[in-house]
Amino acid sequence: MNTTEPTPAPAAPEPYDAIIIGGSYAGLSAALQLARARRRILVVDAGQRRNRFAVNSHGFLTRDGQPAADIAAEGRANVAAYPNVHWHDGTATAARRAGSSSSSGSSTDGTDDDGFIVELDGAGTVRGARLVLATGVRDDLPQIEGLAERWGKSVFHCPYCHGYELNEGRIGVLASGPLSVHQAQMLPHWGQVTFFTNGVCPLDDAQRADLQARGVQIDDTPVRRLVNVATVVLEDGRQDIMTGLFTYGRVHMTSPIAEQLGCAFEQGPLGPFIRTDEGRQTTVPAVFAAGDAMRAASSVALSVADGAMAGIGAHRSLLFGVTPFAAPMMASATSPAPADAR
Ligand code: FAD
Ligand code: MG
């Protein structure tokens, strides 16, 4: 396999075995399993990875500290090498169950039906028997002057991804809400922490005592802006030079498709994510999800793992028929082939 140019999505109306929406770590990992199962699949990708603001990615075994874009590009080349994989660079704008004029998933009894119709931007519609949603999330960052342009460079949210490189230096935690206490409690393992409560995270006595016991300095002065690498300029004119900063944004689905299909959501501490079972099936039969779109807190490693599971889950459902949400995975392996398995 040495072809790295993906096969374009053909105009023919022949249905795909699976359409994967989102072609980053989670979607590519799902695609790889389905490609190797010799299924005919389409990957649709708008090319807006969540970590595109950071150069290097950390914590993914064998690729630790390497450019995030290279990991994604190599993943794409791995998948594109299979001739049964088709690719559409662009956005899936809508999806609905085939045969239903309404956009909500109509079949909830676990039976196969005619699959799904997916609308592509400027490229008509395509049809697939299974869907994998690997569309990720979008970060809605705190409105602090100078923060957005430092996101992924000196302002981060995940200490496992970017804490080690701060070399136990001075770390500022910029509060964005009550959950920020948790971030301030974690970060002392990575450096000397100052917690800027910034008027959005009032602390009670117990929280103050807990943070102080962990060696966290607390500064309740409002933050005016960020300058230089990671210097915090405070309302009273003081400037606190930090090695790096951490904060939480709210997370949002990047795509309305899960909602259009009627998928159930869980409420995570930072925003909603798609509910899935062990095989990464959503509450809508034959629709699977992987990666940041179905987890409260994720990473490249977890997204790749979820994607592999979703790809296998989707493939098993092609072999053995669609199971209801949360049905035991192994039970279906012993059932007879469904008449309409495809
Ligand atoms: P994403 O990588 O976000 O990809 C989703 C893809 O789906 C995108 O290409 C998007 O354009 C596409 N898409 C969305 N909607 C549609 C649609 N309707 N049609 C077509 N395509 C669509 N994790 C680590 O493990 N290590 C790190 O060092 C690290 N650093 C990070 C730094 C920053 C600043 C941020 C924000 C995150 C970081 N992460 C890191 C987390 C990591 O980026 C995510 O966990 C990971 O990208 C999730 O993979 P995913 O495939 O689920 O989603
Ligand atoms: Mg993906």
Side-chain angles (χ1 to χ4, degrees):
M1 296 262 177
N2 49 19
T3 319
T4 53
E5 267 313 295
T7 317
E14 191 192 340
Y16 294 98
D17 292 314
I19 298 174
I20 295 154
I21 306 178
S24 174
Y25 313 108
L28 288 167
S29 182
L32 188 59
Q33 302 304 322
L34 284 155
R36 293 188 50 71
R38 297 189 171 274
R39 294 310 88 201
R40 189 169 167 277
I41 62 172
L42 174 67
V43 182
V44 184
D45 185 46
Q48 299 289 302
R49 277 177 295 106
R50 186 184 182 193
N51 62 358
R52 65 192 180 279
F53 305 97
V55 176
N56 294 327
S57 165
H58 298 94
F60 182 37
L61 201 64
T62 75
R63 306 306 303 264
D64 189 31
Q66 295 186 20
D70 290 1
I71 301 173
E74 208 174 304
R76 177 169 169 161
N78 287 167
V79 168
Y82 291 84
N84 44 324
V85 175
H86 299 263
W87 195 281
H88 176 74
D89 279 313
T91 303
T93 51
R96 62 180 185 277
R97 200 172 274 279
S100 72
S101 53
S102 93
S103 59
S104 68
S106 56
S107 168
T108 50
D109 59 3
T111 55
D112 280 299
D113 63 9
D114 296 331
F116 301 88
I117 309 265
V118 175
E119 290 178 26
L120 304 178
D121 55 339
T125 60
V126 283
R127 193 165 167 146
R130 301 290 180 268
L131 290 186
V132 179
L133 307 180
T135 45
V137 294
R138 174 172 59 76
D139 292 283
D140 198 355
L141 299 174
Q143 294 293 308
I144 295 174
E145 189 186 324
L147 191 151
E149 53 268 43
R150 289 172 177 75
W151 181 240
K153 298 169 182 71
S154 58
V155 184
F156 311 100
H157 72 293
C158 168
Y160 298 101
C161 301
H162 299 283
Y164 188 89
E165 281 61 41
L166 300 178
N167 292 316
E168 301 185 279
R170 297 197 67 212
I171 296 175
V173 173
L174 301 168
S176 59
L179 194 69
S180 297
V181 174
H182 178 68
Q183 209 171 30
Q185 286 171 325
M186 286 182 75
L187 275 152
H189 275 195
W190 283 273
Q192 309 143 52
V193 177
T194 303
F195 185 29
F196 298 95
T197 58
N198 203 20
V200 294
C201 188
L203 301 173
D204 62 29
D205 291 346
Q207 286 171 320
R208 246 171 229 283
D210 177 274
L211 288 164
Q212 278 157 358
R214 293 170 194 271
V216 174
Q217 280 188 33
I218 299 167
D219 198 324
D220 295 316
T221 316
V223 173
R224 197 188 285 162
R225 63 178 177 276
L226 309 181
V227 297
N228 303 329
V229 176
T231 297
V232 181
V233 181
L234 296 161
E235 198 64 47
D236 60 14
R238 277 182 299 134
Q239 298 204 356
D240 223 343
I241 301 170
M242 298 287 159
T243 317
L245 299 164
F246 282 80
T247 196
Y248 287 132
R250 296 288 304 167
V251 296
H252 302 274
M253 290 286 116
T254 53
S255 159
I257 286 176
E259 205 177 332
Q260 287 170 4
L261 291 165
C263 296
F265 287 83
E266 308 269 2
Q267 282 307 319
L270 300 173
F273 59 94
I274 304 167
R275 181 181 296 164
T276 59
D277 64 14
E278 194 192 354
R280 299 295 174 264
Q281 187 175 222
T282 72
T283 54
V284 175
V287 178
F288 296 77
D292 281 11
M294 47 66 67
R295 267 183 193 280
S298 193
S299 69
V300 173
L302 292 172
S303 298
V304 167
D306 289 330
M309 195 67 253
I312 291 166
H315 180 234
R316 289 174 63 93
S317 77
L318 291 166
L319 281 170
F320 301 117
V322 174
T323 51
F325 183 77
M329 278 194 73
M330 290 312 288
S332 60
T334 54
S335 24
D340 60 347
R342 55 139 291 124

